[in-house]
Amino acid sequence: MALKALDIYKLLPKKNCKECGFPTCLTFAMKLASGKADPDTCPYLDEATKHLLKGATRPPIRRVKIGVGERSFAIGEEIVLFRHDKSFVHPPGILFQVPDLQTAEEIRRVASRVKDEVFPRVGELLRVNGIAIRNDSGSPETFGKAVRVVEETAEFPEVLIAGSPASMEAALAECGNYRPLIHAATAENHGAMCALAKRSGAPLVVKARGIDALQELAATCEAAGVQDLVLDPAPETTCEFLQTATMIRRMALARTAPELGYPVYLDATVPGREEATLSLGILKYASVIVTTPREPASLLPALTLRQNIYTDPQKPIQMTPGIYRVNNPAPGDPLLLTVNFSLTYFTLLGYLESSRIPCFLLLVDTEGFSVLTAVASGKLNENLIRDSLQRFGVEAETGHRILVLPGYAAPLSGRVEEATGWKVLVGPRDAAEVPEFLEQSWKKAAPGGSPGPAPGP
Amino acid sequence: MAEPGEWTGTIGRVVLGATKGEGGTRSVQYCIGGSRDLPFLPDEAPCGRRPLIALEICDDPALWPAVVKEYIGALADDPAAWAREAERTFGADLVRLHLTSTHRRQAPDLDTVGKTVEAVLAATTLPLIIEGSGDPALDSEVFRRCGEAGAGERLLLGTAEADRYRSIAAAALAYGHAVIAQSPIDINLAKQMNILLREIGVPADRIVIDPYTGALGYGFEYSYSVMERIRYAALMGDTDLAMPVLSAAPDSLTVKEVRDAPPAERQERALSWEFHAAFPAAVAGADIVCVRHPLSVKRLRDACAALTPGGKGTPVQGGG
């Protein structure tokens, strides 16, 4: 279990000798409790106490880095069971699997996709993280060759999947310096696999079915001196993965089983129903997910789900407040007000762009709140709207004084007219209906229709 | 964090659909809810559980997703035939009829609305969800007609919201139906909505929570977390949140990524976009998941089957 600073303090020598680098034993205890100090730096602790403190003070789930360079990614360091409790930290790496029996050309084609395919979405670049090469041939030579083909294509993280230490050694000869993830140490081969992991400094997957077997094997590999472990509970069904991964996360966070304090691996190709398994792995605690090379049509939604789930729930993604021009508007074109919550903006923008109606969007600063929540909390009010109209010099842009409010802000319309002197139109609640609204209501409201000459102030 | 077996709450049950024995004409009755752990964990529900899948249809397809209209062709103009195919061909557990004809600017013909509901009830033997007008001025008359047309069938009527719930509640109470209580992605508002309904006499076993589901990539993560929070709060003993949950992400098939997809890829991307919000909603604990593309039904059913032990799982049927 996790220890509080005072519990740790009781175990320390209380000499305040400063040899650990901290001014007092109490400071050292507080640093240990928050995982920011190492018990080894105290020269006066006996081995038993050090062992106890290490179990109690290390992060609940170890950080493991896979790959090197720009495309490398870190996993682990998760601290909650539900994203709403704080946030999930490191999005799972998703890797395309290729069997080593495929031709060099086929392997190269998948590797090129991993290298080049990228989907820009709301300001981020979504992509697959790397390649998992599987030793279906059983031959070290074929496996080594397949890894070489991948290495020739690009530098991105790899998972090496082989049960035979001889095959693994051949693959590591090709890419051992680039921190590939070794899959996997099992009850049969763990001695040799641990030796390979230590020699190459690469992280190692421990594979065993069931929590108890996994815990035991992880402890064995730890004792053999491998620090960067990843756990593969080898589920036979998707349901089994959900249940086992939940149990591992719970026990790791509660620190009841330090040997389970490592990130989790999921081979989504194994239990069948790969799309569901991939989706579940993203939601429920997988940190490395291996799939077949999925076509873009179904890959993009999975990557979008990962982006959603790993967005920090306490920090809404915000846009900079100001005037946004859509479809090259001219003075006299409609002006719509909305909030600076990025999802609201991108949703509305999508509909407006496809409608091809030129218009101005005024994004006011609701600190990333949606329209509904900004109205409910009072953040979106007539004063903010009046100040925003002035601050961004809106009238000079639009040449008219007609403002379209979102449907959910309808209760504000009277007060906005009074505070700003602008005419207010209430638009629909649903962004999908905005283009139709502009076609119909705006034309009626704006003298001369739209687009047209600006009405006088 | 409670451990398995330490929860104090159980999700309440709601019965949908009435068979002949219960005074209706449905071929099946569903009892949803009853869970007593996090979704799909071993202790979740005593008799196994999988979410029900509702196919959404409408009586005026003007604003319905283009990918669905392309796929179903002439069915789009015939709600009864559409509902029949939902049961026979597409394999839905429930049909959710949206009375979109009432969204038109000109006043709708309310007699036609009642007839549509009757025709859909006659065309399918599945339990029905019926969505009213969304307009407080029309609600009372629309819900009265729906309620009357489906009297005795134990419909699920939608959708009650904080500023319009009286007429739907009245129709549910008068004709023996359940109601969908919607709130905008906020656990406290969900709770408040349930309390409002209870105060005017709707019993807890007639309420299904709809926390509102944003499309994947457009706020879905908020909905996902609210569903998880509702389940957690209910298991911790909050009876005002211990109702089954319905999830529908109505914008899934019209997001920019689907509209702008290359034509050859559009249908698959639409299906996958709908799947990656519907399936996670089931993982978060939704008891009813609504989809719009007919091909999503089987895809989602297969995926949900993978979540139940042994990969099978059947809806809890019968009993009230």
Side-chain angles (χ1 to χ4, degrees), chain B residues 11-12 32-35 44 49-53 94 208 231 243-247 281-282 285-289:
Chain B
I11 310 300
I32 58 171
S35 296
E44 192 209 355
R49 181 194 81 99
R50 70 159 177 80
L52 297 178
I53 301 164
L94 291 155
V208 175
R231 169 63 71 96
M243 290 81 168
V245 166
L246 172 146
S247 170
D287 299 90
I288 301 176
V289 181

Side-chain angles (χ1 to χ4, degrees), chain A residues 78-147:
Chain A
E78 300 296 337
I79 47 172
V80 292
L81 195 57
F82 297 106
R83 60 186 290 282
H84 63 250
D85 284 337
K86 184 156 174 65
S87 179
F88 288 169
V89 181
H90 296 297
I94 296 175
L95 299 96
F96 282 162
Q97 186 179 82
V98 291
D100 65 354
L101 284 170
Q102 286 191 338
T103 63
E105 198 181 321
E106 284 167 322
I107 295 172
R108 204 170 287 119
R109 190 184 65 82
V110 176
S112 302
R113 267 191 73 191
V114 173
K115 173 169 168 272
D116 299 326
E117 199 168 85
V118 54
F119 305 92
R121 240 200 125 255
V122 291
E124 288 182 22
L125 299 177
L126 310 187
R127 65 201 316 177
V128 163
N129 300 76
I131 279 206
I133 306 127
R134 200 176 62 201
N135 184 210
D136 286 6
S137 68
S139 140
E141 199 197 341
T142 310
F143 195 41
K145 263 191 204 156
V147 172

Side-chain angles (χ1 to χ4, degrees), chain A residues 20-239:
Chain A
C20 61
F22 296 101
T24 63
C25 285
L26 185 60
T27 318
F28 185 49
M30 288 163 69
K31 292 288 173 188
L32 285 171
S34 57
K36 287 175 184 145
D38 183 346
D40 279 337
T41 56
C42 175
Y44 302 102
L45 290 175
D46 57 52
E47 283 308 310
T49 312
K50 275 188 194 172
H51 185 75
L52 175 71
L53 286 176
K54 278 185 185 170
T57 59
R58 65 177 218 178
I61 298 174
R62 186 181 171 88
R63 174 191 168 94
V64 175
K65 191 180 149 199
I66 298 172
V68 294
E70 205 186 322
R71 296 285 294 267
S72 67
F73 62 93
I75 52 176
E77 299 185 299
E78 300 296 337
I79 47 172
V80 292
L81 195 57
F82 297 106
R83 60 186 290 282
H84 63 250
D85 284 337
K86 184 156 174 65
S87 179
F88 288 169
V89 181
H90 296 297
I94 296 175
L95 299 96
F96 282 162
Q97 186 179 82
V98 291
D100 65 354
L101 284 170
Q102 286 191 338
T103 63
E105 198 181 321
E106 284 167 322
I107 295 172
R108 204 170 287 119
R109 190 184 65 82
V110 176
S112 302
R113 267 191 73 191
V114 173
K115 173 169 168 272
D116 299 326
E117 199 168 85
V118 54
F119 305 92
R121 240 200 125 255
V122 291
E124 288 182 22
L125 299 177
L126 310 187
R127 65 201 316 177
V128 163
N129 300 76
I131 279 206
I133 306 127
R134 200 176 62 201
N135 184 210
D136 286 6
S137 68
S139 140
E141 199 197 341
T142 310
F143 195 41
K145 263 191 204 156
V147 172
R148 197 177 316 142
V149 171
V150 172
E151 283 297 320
E152 283 162 6
T153 308
E155 265 183 40
F156 42 64
E158 286 152 280
V159 180
L160 307 175
I161 305 173
S164 128
S167 289
M168 194 58 73
E169 193 168 7
L172 287 169
E174 300 293 336
C175 66
N177 294 331
Y178 307 128
R179 290 186 66 82
L181 180 60
I182 299 176
H183 187 284
T186 61
E188 293 77 36
N189 69 12
H190 61 83
M193 288 294 186
C194 284
L196 287 171
K198 274 163 70 182
R199 200 195 311 156
S200 60
L204 175 68
V205 179
V206 175
K207 179 179 175 179
R209 187 160 179 235
I211 298 262
D212 294 344
L214 198 54
Q215 202 170 338
E216 196 183 314
L217 189 56
T220 307
C221 295
E222 267 178 14
V226 185
Q227 294 192 318
D228 290 341
L229 298 179
V230 176
L231 308 174
D232 179 358
E236 288 191 351
T237 64
T238 310
C239 174

